[in-house]
Amino acid sequence: MKYSVDKKEQYVIFTPMEEKLDSALSPKLKSELLTVQAEGYNNLVIDMSNVKYADSSGLSALLVGNREFGRNGGIFIIASPQDHVMKLIKLSMLDKVFIIVDTIEEAAEAIFIHEIEGKEQEEEED
């Protein structure tokens, strides 16, 4: 699986360089997402701008990422999904589960807000 990883201070942008996210690639995607999390990053943006097709196993890999990053209070954002992928997400009613934005900039803003809200909650609990 070809991909790029851009590590920022608060998050990682993971960009699959594949047109299809299917059963052939989804195990590798799951593995790579878990590796990024194991490196200590809590927030991940997956840039789907290159992915023109996904199937149920591809969505399953995204669900694993969403669950694992959310488990420790992090955030998992899907950015720039292509039309076919977005239709499948909506058809599967996963648009209610995933945070989906149009651009990387919107994703960065959502992470910033998430971090601020997380700090405010911690202060309230103390």
Side-chain angles (χ1 to χ4, degrees):
M1 177 179 184
K2 295 181 204 139
Y3 61 90
S4 70
V5 176
D6 185 5
K7 296 176 180 177
K8 307 287 186 186
E9 189 174 327
Q10 296 289 332
Y11 61 95
V12 171
I13 301 172
F14 187 95
T15 307
M17 302 292 197
E18 302 282 352
E19 288 192 0
K20 291 184 176 181
L21 192 53
D22 55 16
S23 58
L25 293 178
S26 61
K28 182 71 173 159
L29 176 59
K30 286 180 193 176
S31 172
E32 294 302 329
L33 293 176
L34 294 175
T35 299
V36 168
Q37 187 191 32
E39 291 175 358
Y41 287 92
N42 288 329
N43 305 312
L44 185 126
V45 176
I46 184 158
D47 178 359
M48 298 286 285
S49 58
N50 298 319
V51 180
K52 294 180 179 170
Y53 172 83
D55 65 8
S56 60
S57 62
L59 289 184
S60 173
L62 296 177
L63 280 168
V64 167
N66 189 57
R67 181 185 68 227
E68 294 303 316
F69 279 89
R71 184 173 283 170
N72 297 322
I75 189 171
F76 180 88
I77 299 175
I78 297 173
S80 309
Q82 298 264 345
D83 287 343
H84 178 274
V85 175
M86 194 62 211
K87 284 178 187 170
L88 182 62
I89 289 170
K90 285 183 176 179
L91 186 67
S92 306
M93 297 181 67
L94 293 174
D95 55 328
K96 312 280 189 262
V97 176
F98 292 129
I99 299 169
I100 304 168
V101 298
D102 292 331
T103 66
I104 296 295
E105 292 76 21
E106 286 179 63
E109 199 172 293
I111 289 169
F112 182 68
I113 291 167
H114 178 78
E115 289 288 313
I116 290 172
E117 288 173 350
K119 287 184 174 103
E120 287 173 358
Q121 282 180 346
E122 285 176 16
E123 289 171 5
E124 286 174 15
E125 291 171 5
D126 291 342

